[in-house]
Amino acid sequence: MDGLLISLISLGVTGLFILGVPIFLVISFWVIGVSLVIDFTLANIGVTLYEGLNFYGLLALPLFILTGDLINAAGIAKRLSDFAYACLGFMRGGLGMASLGACGMFAAISGSNSATTATIGSIMHPEMKKGGYDEEFAAATVAAGGCVGIIIPPSIIFIVYGFMMNLPIGDLFLAGMIPGTLMVVAMMATCWFLSRRNGWGHLIKFSPKRIIKTGSKAWLGFLAMGIVLFGLSTGAFSPTEAAGVTTGFCLLAGLLITRQFGLKDLPKIMMRSGQITGMLAPLIAVSVVMQQVLSLLGAKAFLTGVITSLGGFYPILFACMAIVFVAGTVLESLPVTVILAPILAPIAASIGVDPIQFAVIFLVGASIGFITPPYGLNLYVASGMTGIPYLRIVKHVVPYLIALTLTWFAIALIPGISLWILS
Amino acid sequence: MHKSMGKAFYWAFQNIEKFFIILSYGSMTAIIFIEVIRRFLFNEQSAWSTTIPIYLFLWLAWMGASYNTQKRSHLRFTEMRQRLSYGAQFSCLILDTVLWFVMGAVVIYFSVEQVYISYDNFSIVQGTDDVMQWWFYLATPCAWTLLLIRVVQNLVSDYQDFKAGRPLAVQAATFGD
């Protein structure tokens, strides 16, 4: 009887999701409904909405979000984009590839996929449109480029994953470096191939002078990346402290060096970051409650039984990846991580996958979810920013999706891609 | 005089979330930044520098949730809702309101209980002598009360739009102002 009721509740909340009810409420109502069915106290919600956010490491999330907005406001993101264009503009598809490269560099200072798409997209999409690219392809390029935001360190989702699974966040960050770079390279190759085939983009002359000039202008961006990398690789700061220092650095850079914003602009910048934090933090808290209820239902034991019954290393690994991929098509990466990581990580560990490598496999899969319909957040951001209908961007994002999926399999099958840097 | 006071009060009320978000975000960032620099340069750090920011984050997170409700920018899948008939779209907005109220009632009821327990036990923030935990735990019920007021305000605005035949707010604004 309980099983039937829980199935009906799950169907009901799926209906709410399709009807456009906020995801926070969709998850909340599943939690309330199932808690009532299994006679689990609702007081747990009151406690977990505090306890779910009560972790020092989680503070890196709002700080890296703010860093992203400060880099943009300080003009550092624009300078990094100019440098990427100077390096790649001489090739067919160079501007598109520069957009992807700029996404990678932005991701190395900030830690959010949607912020990467929004920031680099607002700078590079108009340039690509002017530069002879199909505007729908240009929107798809910045949407796909944003996927490395959470893989190249620092990363908001790595922080959440480390928090949930009790793994060293610094190690997770370092493990994401090569896979993130590989994702950028795979997308650049896709962009080059498509641009060459369709004759998109105007070429600029290869000029070392221009590269040096734009590179020297982008020094603040490189320094910000250096601070994060130095802090994490030497252990001088924790990820949260690295986030605090980078935020402070970008603030001072914008106020005193580039002077692109003043003190009076700070509330507006902080409100933008606060709005994104206010979207993500409640989702984390309520996903923690959902995870607890799933544990009570025995979902972990059930799913473990089903997956391990497949037998063998590869079927189990691919089943875990398939679950992450499917969940990523309908859920935001945070709930996917909070709900599925505690279930799938022990299964992967039981077949001998290194926990850090599995974290990277898991999060690259969750990251691909940012451009998979029906729920692809980066596609929404690109659509909202460019005014191009969502479904038209989806059509052009498919080649990037294939490239990223192939890269994902390479990351899953070759542990060295994630773990070499740690050794 | 009364009119201008009323206007000022309305402006302040409409911007409560902004005040709390900027205050908590700014203080949290400043504490972490300054304390890391102090440790790095002078080898000293306050004990509360790793606890107070966590509690400030509670205010930031839940006031941010209320602000997103005001701006209708909570994450959602909007493709289907945009394709519904005008009447069905309005019904969906009423459905949102009902769901927010049910969830709000659950959260406020049980989080007030938590605040009371913390108040009753004189729980102090770790690393401090006299900063009470309940000052920060109060964030959840306060922000949710405000959130429900924003829900009502949105519903009133939706009803006015519906009566006038204007387009309804069914597109999620991922990044607001």
Side-chain angles (χ1 to χ4, degrees):
Chain A
M1 186 61 187
D2 281 2
L4 177 69
L5 280 173
I6 291 168
S7 303
L8 286 174
I9 290 166
S10 304
L11 271 177
V13 296
T14 308
L16 293 179
F17 170 76
I18 293 168
L19 281 175
V21 169
I23 294 170
F24 174 79
L25 283 178
V26 172
I27 298 175
S28 301
F29 273 83
W30 187 89
V31 168
I32 292 176
V34 176
S35 296
L36 291 174
V37 170
I38 62 173
D39 219 10
F40 183 51
T41 174
L42 291 180
N44 182 53
I45 295 175
V47 177
T48 313
L49 291 188
Y50 298 120
E51 296 303 326
L53 301 176
N54 192 356
F55 170 56
Y56 186 68
L58 208 54
L59 298 186
L61 178 128
L63 293 173
F64 277 128
I65 291 171
L66 183 56
T67 303
D69 282 327
L70 288 169
I71 300 164
N72 192 20
I76 299 172
K78 172 83 174 85
R79 292 169 190 210
L80 288 171
S81 303
D82 289 344
F83 171 67
Y85 185 43
C87 292
L88 298 163
F90 70 96
M91 295 165 78
R92 179 64 68 188
L95 191 53
M97 289 157 74
S99 303
L100 295 163
C103 284
M105 286 191 278
F106 183 83
I109 310 172
S110 179
S112 149
N113 276 359
S114 47
T116 305
T117 296
T119 306
I120 301 300
S122 63
I123 298 166
M124 296 304 267
H125 184 265
E127 295 295 325
M128 283 181 76
K129 208 171 139 184
K130 271 190 276 174
Y133 288 81
D134 178 281
E135 65 163 338
E136 293 168 10
F137 172 75
T141 301
V142 291
C147 286
V148 295
I150 62 165
I151 304 300
I152 294 179
S155 154
I156 289 167
I157 306 284
F158 271 130
I159 295 163
V160 176
Y161 192 99
F163 161 61
M164 295 294 302
M165 303 309 303
N166 207 15
L167 288 172
I169 292 167
D171 284 2
L172 289 175
F173 278 0
L174 293 174
M177 283 178 72
I178 298 175
T181 311
L182 212 57
M183 287 165 76
V184 174
V185 172
M187 287 189 287
M188 279 184 175
T190 310
C191 180
W192 171 79
F193 175 75
L194 290 172
S195 303
R196 197 161 167 243
R197 200 178 67 178
N198 295 296
W200 287 328
H202 310 311
L203 305 186
I204 58 165
K205 222 176 95 183
F206 179 76
S207 158
K209 199 177 152 191
R210 184 175 170 159
I211 293 173
I212 294 167
K213 196 178 162 194
T214 52
S216 61
K217 276 189 175 175
W219 70 275
L220 284 169
F222 300 130
L223 191 57
M225 287 178 213
I227 291 173
V228 176
L229 274 179
F230 165 77
L232 296 176
S233 57
T234 61
F237 331 122
S238 69
T240 302
E241 290 171 344
V245 172
T246 318
T247 308
F249 170 77
C250 292
L251 174 68
L252 295 175
L255 284 174
L256 306 174
I257 303 172
T258 67
R259 296 186 180 190
Q260 295 234 346
F261 61 81
L263 281 174
K264 65 175 176 17
D265 303 311
L266 267 184
K268 198 177 170 191
I269 297 169
M270 284 168 78
M271 278 315 296
R272 195 183 140 85
S273 305
Q275 189 174 3
I276 299 170
T277 305
M279 262 182 228
L280 300 181
L283 261 180
I284 296 175
V286 80
S287 301
V288 171
V289 193
M290 185 180 190
Q291 212 278 323
Q292 291 167 346
V293 175
L294 277 171
S295 295
L296 283 173
L297 285 175
K300 188 175 174 179
F302 172 75
L303 213 55
T304 305
V306 171
I307 296 174
T308 49
S309 72
L310 295 169
F313 180 85
Y314 293 110
I316 292 176
L317 180 62
F318 293 153
C320 291
M321 289 168 71
I323 291 170
V324 174
F325 184 82
V326 172
T329 62
V330 290
L331 275 176
E332 216 274 326
S333 60
L334 273 174
V336 170
T337 305
V338 176
I339 295 161
L340 287 179
I343 297 175
L344 299 181
I347 299 174
S350 73
I351 55 165
V353 181
D354 185 277
I356 300 278
Q357 190 209 352
F358 186 72
V360 177
I361 298 171
F362 187 102
L363 294 172
V364 170
S367 184
I368 293 172
F370 277 77
I371 52 165
T372 47
Y375 189 80
L377 182 58
N378 282 7
L379 299 170
Y380 281 107
V381 174
S383 170
M385 193 176 58
T386 59
I388 299 167
Y390 175 87
L391 291 173
R392 278 166 53 193
I393 301 177
V394 169
K395 194 176 76 183
H396 287 274
V397 93
V398 173
Y400 288 118
L401 201 52
I402 295 168
L404 287 174
T405 308
L406 290 174
T407 313
W408 188 30
F409 274 92
I411 292 164
L413 297 174
I414 309 168
I417 295 175
S418 315
L419 302 178
W420 176 78
I421 203 161
L422 292 174
S423 65
Chain B
M1 179 66 180
H2 281 296
K3 207 172 172 183
S4 62
M5 269 180 69
K7 263 188 178 173
F9 177 76
Y10 181 75
W11 179 88
F13 184 69
Q14 287 301 92
N15 289 286
I16 289 179
E17 288 97 337
K18 286 187 183 179
F19 171 77
F20 278 100
I21 289 171
I22 291 168
L23 186 71
S24 53
Y25 219 151
S27 329
M28 193 180 86
T29 310
I31 292 170
I32 294 173
F33 178 63
I34 292 167
E35 290 298 315
V36 174
I37 300 296
R38 274 184 65 208
R39 193 187 67 211
F40 213 68
L41 297 180
F42 308 111
N43 228 6
E44 54 186 41
Q45 186 170 9
S46 306
W48 48 264
S49 68
T50 54
T51 53
I52 293 271
I54 299 174
Y55 291 100
L56 287 168
F57 181 46
L58 288 177
W59 277 102
L60 170 62
W62 294 113
M63 281 295 171
S66 178
Y67 184 69
N68 277 302
T69 307
Q70 187 182 32
K71 299 287 172 191
R72 303 174 194 263
S73 49
H74 277 289
L75 292 173
R76 63 174 81 200
F77 174 73
T78 54
E79 284 297 299
M80 185 64 84
R81 189 176 284 197
Q82 286 169 46
R83 284 172 169 72
L84 294 176
S85 67
Y86 192 64
Q89 283 183 353
F90 184 61
S91 306
C92 284
L93 292 170
I94 296 174
L95 174 70
D96 285 353
T97 307
V98 173
L99 296 177
W100 277 120
F101 264 87
V102 175
M103 183 62 189
V106 172
V107 173
I108 292 169
Y109 180 79
F110 288 108
S111 60
V112 164
E113 205 172 89
Q114 286 304 309
V115 175
Y116 183 74
I117 291 170
S118 174
Y119 170 81
D120 212 32
N121 290 335
F122 298 101
S123 306
I124 290 168
V125 174
Q126 302 90 320
T128 68
D129 294 329
D130 48 12
V131 179
M132 307 305 290
Q133 278 185 7
W134 70 268
W135 299 347
F136 299 96
Y137 283 174
L138 208 55
T140 315
C142 285
W144 270 87
T145 307
L146 202 55
L147 183 151
L148 293 183
I149 294 170
R150 302 306 181 203
V151 168
V152 173
Q153 287 178 325
N154 284 348
L155 185 68
V156 170
S157 149
D158 292 335
Y159 179 71
Q160 285 165 349
D161 286 341
F162 182 68
K163 289 290 276 182
R166 289 190 291 263
L168 295 167
V170 289
Q171 173 80 48
T174 310
F175 294 95
D177 59 350

